[in-house]
């Protein structure tokens, strides 16, 4: 079934293949079909996370690249890093930590 993800007051829609792109992540586990998710009437799942940060997580999952919009913003990188750790996106964590080492 198709589902969307609602992030707090913002709505960011994506399909399960995006959310499961990093197979070892918490998101992949959540949307793998192994777990029962509470869905709204429109088949969306509510995640109580910061929408402004989650869009960067989705960009990473879609492209495999650290979003250019956070490359020169240490504060944004730290926030995305915290979310990447929360969602167990180890490759994103490594990429963000490497950027911080280089700067």
């Amino acid at each position: 079934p198709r589902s969307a993800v609602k992030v707090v007051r913002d709505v960011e829609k994506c399909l399960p293949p995006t959310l499961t792109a990093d197979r070892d992540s918490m998101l992949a586990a959540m949307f793998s079909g192994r777990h029962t998710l509470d869905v709204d009437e429109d088949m969306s799942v509510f995640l109580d996370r910061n929408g402004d940060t989650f869009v960067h997580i989705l960009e990473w999952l879609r492209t495999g690249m650290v979003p250019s919009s956070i490359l020169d913003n240490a504060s944004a990188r730290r926030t995305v890093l915290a979310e990447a750790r929360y969602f167990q996106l180890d490759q994103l964590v490594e990429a963000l930590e490497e950027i911080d080492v280089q700067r």
Side-chain angles (χ1 to χ4, degrees):
R2 299 186 127 196
S3 60
V5 174
K6 288 184 182 178
V7 184
V8 190
R9 66 185 171 277
D10 302 320
V11 175
E12 184 66 32
K13 292 189 177 189
C14 62
L15 297 174
T18 299
L19 297 169
T20 60
D22 183 338
R23 297 187 191 284
D24 296 324
S25 71
M26 180 194 311
L27 287 169
M30 288 171 63
F31 291 92
S32 67
R34 296 181 306 221
H35 302 280
T36 302
L37 298 173
D38 290 329
V39 295
D40 290 344
E41 62 279 349
D42 63 354
M43 295 302 294
S44 62
V45 176
F46 175 79
L47 295 178
D48 190 11
R49 308 305 294 175
N50 181 306
D52 292 334
T53 303
F54 195 72
V55 295
H56 300 300
I57 298 293
L58 290 177
E59 186 66 22
W60 165 264
L61 291 169
R62 289 176 177 134
T63 67
M65 297 171 54
V66 174
S68 59
S69 59
I70 66 169
L71 287 176
D72 294 325
N73 185 331
S75 176
R77 283 196 316 276
R78 282 191 300 274
T79 303
V80 173
L81 177 60
E83 286 295 285
R85 286 181 175 140
Y86 175 82
F87 287 116
Q88 301 170 1
L89 296 163
D90 296 337
Q91 291 178 348
L92 178 54
V93 168
E94 290 174 19
L96 291 168
E97 288 175 342
E98 181 64 28
I99 290 168
D100 285 339
V101 166
Q102 294 174 359
R103 292 182 185 254

